[in-house]
Amino acid sequence: MAPSTPRVVVGIDVKKRPWEQLVPLHNRWHPDIPPVADVKEGELVRVEMVDWTGGRVGDNNSAEDIKSLDLTITHYLSGPLRVLDTDGKPAQPGDLLAVEICNLGPLPGDEWGYTGTFDRENGGGFLTDHFPCATKAIWYFEGIYAYSPNIPGVRFPGLTHPGIIGTAPSHDLLNIWNERERKLAETDTGSLKLCEVVHQRPLASLPTPKNCLLGKIKEGSPEWQKMANEAARTIPGRENGGNCDIKNLSRGSKVYLPVFVEGANLSTGDMHFSQGDGEVSFCGAIEMSGFLELKCEIIRGGMKEYLTPMGPTPLHVNPIFEIGPVEPRFSEWLVFEGISVDEAGQQHYLDATVAYKRAVLNAIDYLSSFGYSKEQAYILLSCCPCEGRISGIVDSPNAVATLAIPTAIFDQDIRPKTGKVPKGPKVQRSPDVLKCTYDGKLPVTKNLGGT
């Protein structure tokens, strides 16, 4: 007998705001956010989700929505889902939750997405010191392919994936997150050499009631007030999985997530049509609404058996990801190298962040000789299926990072030429990405977020 149609456990109406959805959404991590549905082991279910901003970025010819975006909203997640075994018993703390991604894609009738960079005064990005203005590129989908009127001459297949998939933290784990991130946020940024290079990024995004959405918990109630002041922001990946932005987590992949609360309370969101390794422009994948069709399995006692704590408590573990068999096939790549020496010529000791920044800058400068603006190249390297690597991390003092770009995504040959042939034609690639004007004010560091 043919398998049944996946049961929709979270449905989405893209014409409605996140707080208007029939099944409540949430944008924080907290153990007391109530589950919205029960799912059983082996059951194929469908989870739909809004884009991470909940529809605040439009398919239009302006980057003002990116520039003025209130980043305390991030991210709108679908769930939590309480996972039960075939006998109806919920997952327990110490178990592993194996989540298989069977199918995924954009929501029908909403087949478009966007990539952007945040304004320097509103979160910035990996290359804020080079690109201080908010920008945006719109992408349209043709089956598995994406193209943008803002970056002509480029077309590529998407490796679609959820940016966020994770389980709820326990109260103990939530306290660990908040304490360590609070200490980091209070650190003197002048003492961190990384902040001299990756400028004006918030060190951490701490809990805030502003724009806090806690699913079924009624806003303004005493319970909501307490939870909103301690619920963790969804910005970074943590022990529970969360915002890991692993682009290969696509069809056929399996995620082994630690379980910290009864039922696991699985949530997902931040759907990406495509993304490059590092998501370097920060709002940097092709962001979209979408759906996941998934199955769950509970591995009893799996945390202790398969995950080794890398910290002072048994809670300091990390998920395991099993990459699926489906991804775009590219045979030719152009690879750019970076070392841990910054643009001022300052030597850094085995700093992979500095090395990767140099690799990205080298690639941007190279692509600009083929008629692309540097803003176009920056956005493209954030969302196309490029491959980032830490290629060397032992040879003092230089870390070596590489960025590999599939050459087939371009409608021109971007390889260096031999002899006296110029390395690329000066093709006018117009129109440019949608860009706002940076007003030149001094940047401020806020407790903000990103995608």
Side-chain angles (χ1 to χ4, degrees):
M1 181 180 294
S4 59
T5 301
R7 178 168 67 98
V8 179
V9 291
V10 180
I12 289 296
D13 184 344
V14 294
K15 296 180 181 179
K16 293 183 178 180
R17 293 295 192 181
W19 51 90
E20 299 171 338
Q21 298 297 326
L22 181 62
V23 178
L25 307 182
H26 62 102
N27 62 1
R28 301 290 193 271
W29 293 115
H30 196 283
D32 297 334
I33 297 175
V36 298
D38 288 353
V39 300
K40 282 195 172 183
E41 280 191 296
E43 181 185 12
L44 183 62
V45 297
R46 179 181 172 108
V47 181
E48 298 180 349
M49 59 205 77
V50 297
D51 81 282
W52 72 275
T53 74
R56 300 192 191 206
V57 176
D59 178 7
N60 53 45
N61 294 318
S62 172
E64 286 294 332
D65 46 15
I66 295 287
K67 181 176 181 178
S68 60
L69 194 64
D70 187 342
L71 298 178
T72 60
I73 66 172
T74 56
H75 300 81
Y76 289 114
L77 305 182
S78 295
L81 305 178
R82 187 171 72 135
V83 183
L84 313 175
D85 65 18
T86 53
D87 295 324
K89 297 178 180 178
Q92 295 295 322
D95 293 343
L96 268 187
L97 184 67
V99 182
E100 182 181 356
I101 297 176
C102 301
N103 194 18
L104 74 176
L107 289 179
D110 204 38
E111 293 94 348
W112 71 280
Y114 60 90
T115 308
T117 62
F118 294 126
D119 187 88
R120 183 170 179 164
E121 293 184 67
N122 191 29
F126 189 52
L127 301 181
T128 299
D129 48 337
H130 292 263
F131 300 93
C133 304
T135 63
K136 183 174 78 176
I138 298 296
W139 298 88
Y140 300 114
F141 310 146
E142 294 178 332
I144 65 170
Y145 290 94
Y147 71 94
S148 173
N150 306 118
I151 310 179
V154 172
R155 184 174 182 261
F156 52 82
L159 188 55
T160 304
H161 61 280
I164 295 179
I165 187 166
T167 52
S170 64
H171 283 281
D172 287 343
L173 184 56
L174 180 64
N175 291 336
I176 289 171
W177 292 352
N178 286 339
E179 177 64 16
R180 73 189 184 197
E181 292 175 20
R182 180 189 60 79
K183 288 180 179 179
L184 180 63
E186 294 172 353
T187 300
D188 175 16
T189 57
S191 68
L192 300 177
K193 289 188 176 182
L194 181 61
C195 291
E196 299 172 7
V197 181
V198 185
H199 294 281
Q200 300 303 323
R201 296 293 309 282
L203 297 183
S205 300
L206 302 180
T208 175
K210 184 179 181 183
N211 288 320
C212 183
L213 195 62
L214 296 174
K216 294 180 178 180
I217 305 297
K218 184 178 180 181
E219 183 174 353
S221 67
E223 186 180 12
W224 182 91
Q225 291 286 355
K226 179 181 182 299
M227 291 172 60
N229 282 301
E230 62 188 19
R233 305 286 300 282
T234 58
I235 313 310
R238 299 185 181 95
E239 285 85 350
N240 69 326
N243 193 26
C244 296
D245 290 319
I246 298 174
K247 69 177 176 59
N248 300 90
L249 193 59
S250 191
R251 286 178 181 85
S253 297
K254 188 174 285 189
V255 194
Y256 299 89
L257 295 164
V259 176
F260 301 105
V261 301
E262 183 176 282
N265 284 5
L266 174 71
S267 297
T268 186
D270 190 28
M271 281 293 289
H272 298 163
F273 186 84
S274 176
Q275 179 202 292
D277 281 336
E279 197 185 10
V280 291
S281 78
F282 199 22
C283 183
I286 299 181
E287 311 287 346
M288 67 173 192
S289 64
F291 73 92
L292 283 182
E293 293 174 359
L294 54 86
K295 293 191 296 184
C296 295
E297 177 186 358
I298 300 171
I299 303 175
R300 297 296 185 184
M303 277 180 62
K304 185 176 181 180
E305 184 171 357
Y306 295 108
L307 304 181
T308 302
M310 294 296 175
T313 79
L315 303 176
H316 287 82
V317 293
N318 295 100
I320 298 172
F321 297 86
E322 184 179 342
I323 300 304
V326 180
E327 62 180 54
R329 292 182 297 174
F330 298 105
S331 59
E332 296 182 354
W333 303 75
L334 203 58
V335 182
F336 296 86
E337 179 181 312
I339 59 175
S340 50
V341 177
D342 64 33
E343 300 94 296
Q346 180 180 352
Q347 179 73 63
H348 296 257
Y349 179 71
L350 295 179
D351 193 322
T353 300
V354 175
Y356 198 60
K357 184 185 181 191
R358 282 289 306 274
V360 175
L361 286 172
N362 289 340
I364 289 172
D365 190 66
Y366 182 89
L367 291 177
S368 69
S369 67
F370 288 83
Y372 294 102
S373 72
K374 292 189 175 183
E375 288 84 0
Q376 285 175 313
Y378 183 26
I379 281 183
L380 179 61
L381 295 179
S382 190
C383 67
C384 78
C386 56
E387 301 280 348
R389 297 286 187 273
I390 298 176
S391 301
I393 202 67
V394 296
D395 296 317
S396 303
N398 278 335
V400 178
T402 54
L403 179 66
I405 306 173
T407 57
I409 71 174
F410 299 95
D411 67 356
Q412 59 178 310
D413 186 355
I414 66 165
R415 295 172 299 176
K417 307 299 189 299
T418 58
K420 296 183 179 181
V421 180
K423 66 179 181 179
K426 295 292 184 178
V427 179
Q428 181 61 41
R429 294 291 178 185
S430 182
D432 201 344
V433 293
L434 307 168
K435 182 165 59 175
C436 294
T437 302
Y438 176 60
D439 59 18
K441 294 180 180 178
L442 289 175
V444 291
T445 299
K446 303 175 182 178
N447 288 326
L448 301 173
T451 66

